[in-house]
């Protein structure tokens, strides 16, 4: 990994309490358990091959602590967990390890699994990493608003989604900056790499629209249908996701315009086409356009700036860590409401 920017690393620097627990060398069904000896200060590195892994942490120390865990390319894996002084709390999550570890067309990163401790007062007492057995895989197909962004202050909602899921569900985020339905299907590092990995029952969430600026409606529709058919061919479960809105207000405080609602220069209403394909092909739909529109309008011109990178970059398309986390929460709510992921595997509250 080692791809955190200096600002992120500085934010994650803290007085982490690593208790003197010996590295576990036990075995679980023949698989080595990797332990706290792999951790130094605020970071842990585990020399494991690509795959899916369960991570169990024991949090807490002598003082009241608050610990969050990120991993690989700035993925949020565990939300901040507060533990009273002198107590210990166990938490678990499942993580996808792959190469490249972030965006599929990006740099490879460091082999193995890298974790970084954050939070208001981090305290790690123990950690164990084991190969996941029978984990549910959720693949993400999308663009820069979804992907594992390599540098602060950017973040995609897919980068924040793992923290809302418990052990037994792994997010394999194959979203990539700058991709349209045309380029995602055409690049061998994208769809041609994702599709062979899909197994029966895997969820594949598809949000592509922001970069289909010159794609005509017939082509856009056909490309979505190709992706849906390709998921089903492998026994997977496709889910179509309409794109997040751009923060582009009308004078009346609404987002009722083509820029905000992803209507391209050819007049193609991307969210409408996604809804139409979902209905025609009997595909579950997460209408993130409608949900983010309602939220941004309710916050208004000023308060909605924090969701995007307006203050930092005058950017009304890409989300901040805060915005990506809020939008990932909307996706989490729909995964629950539509029973796309079992309730017991979703972290709420």
């Amino acid at each position: 990994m080692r791809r955190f920017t200096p600002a992120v690393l500085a934010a994650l620097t803290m007085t982490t309490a690593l208790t003197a627990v010996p590295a576990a060398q036990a075995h679980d069904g023949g698989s080595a358990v990797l332990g706290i000896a792999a951790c130094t200060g605020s970071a842990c590195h585990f020399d494991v091959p690509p795959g899916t892994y369960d991570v169990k942490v024991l949090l807490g120390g002598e003082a009241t602590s608050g610990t969050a865990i990120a991993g690989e390319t700035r993925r949020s894996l565990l939300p901040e967990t507060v533990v009273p002084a002198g107590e210990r709390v166990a938490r678990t999550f499942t993580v996808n390890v792959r190469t490249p570890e972030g965006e599929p067309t990006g740099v490879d990163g460091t082999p193995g699994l890298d974790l970084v401790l954050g939070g208001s007062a981090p305290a790690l007492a123990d950690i164990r990493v084991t190969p996941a057995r029978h984990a549910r895989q959720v693949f993400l197909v999308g663009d820069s608003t979804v992907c594992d962004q390599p540098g602060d202050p950017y973040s995609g909602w897919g980068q924040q989604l793992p923290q809302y899921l418990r052990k037994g569900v792994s997010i394999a985020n194959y979203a990539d900056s700058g991709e349209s339905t045309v380029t995602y299907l055409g690049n061998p590092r994208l769809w041609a790499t994702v599709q062979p990995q899909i197994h029966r029952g895997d969820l594949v969430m598809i949000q592509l629209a922001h970069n289909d600026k010159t794609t005509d409606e017939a082509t856009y529709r056909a490309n979505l249908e190709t992706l849906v058919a390709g998921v089903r061919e492998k026994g997977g479960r496709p889910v179509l996701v309409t794109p997040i809105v751009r923060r582009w207000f009308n004078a009346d405080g609404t987002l009722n315009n083509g820029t905000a609602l992803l209507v391209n220069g050819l007049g193609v209403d991307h969210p409408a086409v996604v809804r139409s394909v979902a209905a025609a092909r009997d595909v579950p739909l997460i209408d993130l356009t409608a949900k983010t529109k309602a939220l941004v309008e309710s916050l208004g011109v000023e308060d909605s700036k924090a969701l995007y990178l307006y203050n930092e970059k005058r950017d009304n398309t890409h989300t901040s860590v805060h915005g990506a986390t809020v939008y990932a929460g909307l996706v989490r709510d729909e995964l629950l409401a539509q029973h796309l992921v079992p309730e017991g595997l979703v972290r709420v509250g």
Side-chain angles (χ1 to χ4, degrees):
M1 186 188 70
R2 309 293 192 259
R3 293 177 61 191
F4 292 91
T5 64
V8 174
L9 285 172
L12 294 174
T13 301
M14 60 283 171
T15 56
T16 305
L18 298 183
T19 62
V21 180
Q25 298 298 328
H27 286 74
D28 178 12
S31 299
V33 179
L34 301 168
I36 203 167
C39 301
T40 304
S42 63
C44 304
H45 174 77
F46 301 94
D47 289 319
V48 295
T52 304
Y53 295 88
D54 290 332
V55 179
K56 181 177 181 179
V57 294
L58 189 65
L59 305 176
E62 295 306 310
T64 298
S65 62
T67 308
I69 299 178
E72 297 296 89
T73 303
R74 302 176 62 239
R75 300 180 219 161
S76 294
L77 300 172
L78 187 72
E80 179 160 358
T81 302
V82 176
V83 181
E87 297 186 15
R88 300 290 186 271
V89 170
R91 291 289 185 269
T92 56
F93 56 88
T94 301
V95 61
N96 172 254
V97 176
R98 60 183 183 271
T99 303
E101 66 185 21
E103 295 181 84
T105 62
V107 299
D108 285 353
T110 300
L113 170 61
D114 287 276
L115 303 175
V116 174
L117 306 178
S120 57
L124 177 66
D126 197 12
I127 184 169
R128 292 189 175 190
V129 176
T130 56
R133 305 185 185 283
H134 312 298
R136 298 168 184 261
Q137 196 83 289
V138 179
F139 290 92
L140 303 183
V141 170
D143 52 37
S144 59
T145 65
V146 184
C147 76
D148 288 347
Q149 289 279 0
D152 190 62
Y154 292 88
S155 181
W157 62 255
Q159 199 164 20
Q160 301 300 324
L161 187 59
Q163 66 185 298
Y164 290 118
L165 301 171
R166 299 182 185 277
K167 174 186 173 184
V169 183
S170 168
I171 298 293
N173 190 350
Y174 281 85
D176 196 70
S177 293
E179 306 301 341
S180 65
T181 57
V182 176
T183 61
Y184 204 95
L185 285 167
N187 189 329
R189 299 184 71 177
L190 298 173
W191 183 238
T193 297
V194 174
Q195 192 195 20
Q197 300 183 62
I198 301 171
H199 293 96
R200 183 165 300 280
D202 287 345
L203 211 63
V204 183
M205 301 171 65
I206 302 164
Q207 185 215 280
L208 287 166
H210 278 274
N211 299 300
D212 280 280
K213 298 173 183 177
T214 60
T215 309
D216 63 78
E217 183 170 336
T219 301
Y220 184 64
R221 181 183 297 272
N223 288 344
L224 292 176
E225 291 174 341
T226 296
L227 290 165
V228 166
V231 174
R232 285 176 166 166
E233 178 185 324
K234 303 295 290 185
R237 298 181 294 150
V239 177
L240 288 173
V241 183
T242 59
I244 68 170
V245 293
R246 295 190 182 99
R247 185 189 158 278
W248 199 264
F249 281 93
N250 293 332
D252 64 358
T254 70
L255 300 179
N256 296 323
N257 61 78
T259 299
L261 299 180
L262 282 296
V263 178
N264 73 10
L266 302 178
V268 180
D269 185 332
H270 292 103
V273 177
V274 175
R275 296 176 189 120
S276 174
V277 172
R281 300 297 176 182
D282 193 24
V283 178
L285 173 74
I286 295 179
D287 198 342
L288 204 51
T289 305
K291 290 188 173 299
T292 55
K293 178 179 186 290
L295 176 59
V296 171
E297 288 180 340
S298 71
L299 291 173
V301 174
E302 288 303 316
D303 289 347
S304 64
K305 289 177 180 178
L307 295 173
Y308 292 82
L309 294 174
Y310 179 84
N311 293 323
E312 299 87 348
K313 304 284 186 178
R314 294 298 186 266
D315 186 334
N316 291 305
T317 297
H318 297 96
T319 48
S320 62
V321 171
H322 168 66
T325 302
V326 171
Y327 286 178
L330 297 178
V331 174
R332 180 271 313 271
D333 293 345
E334 283 299 296
L335 293 175
L336 271 175
Q338 298 190 42
H339 307 290
L340 296 170
V341 174
E343 182 175 346
L345 298 181
V346 179
R347 211 181 296 275
V348 295

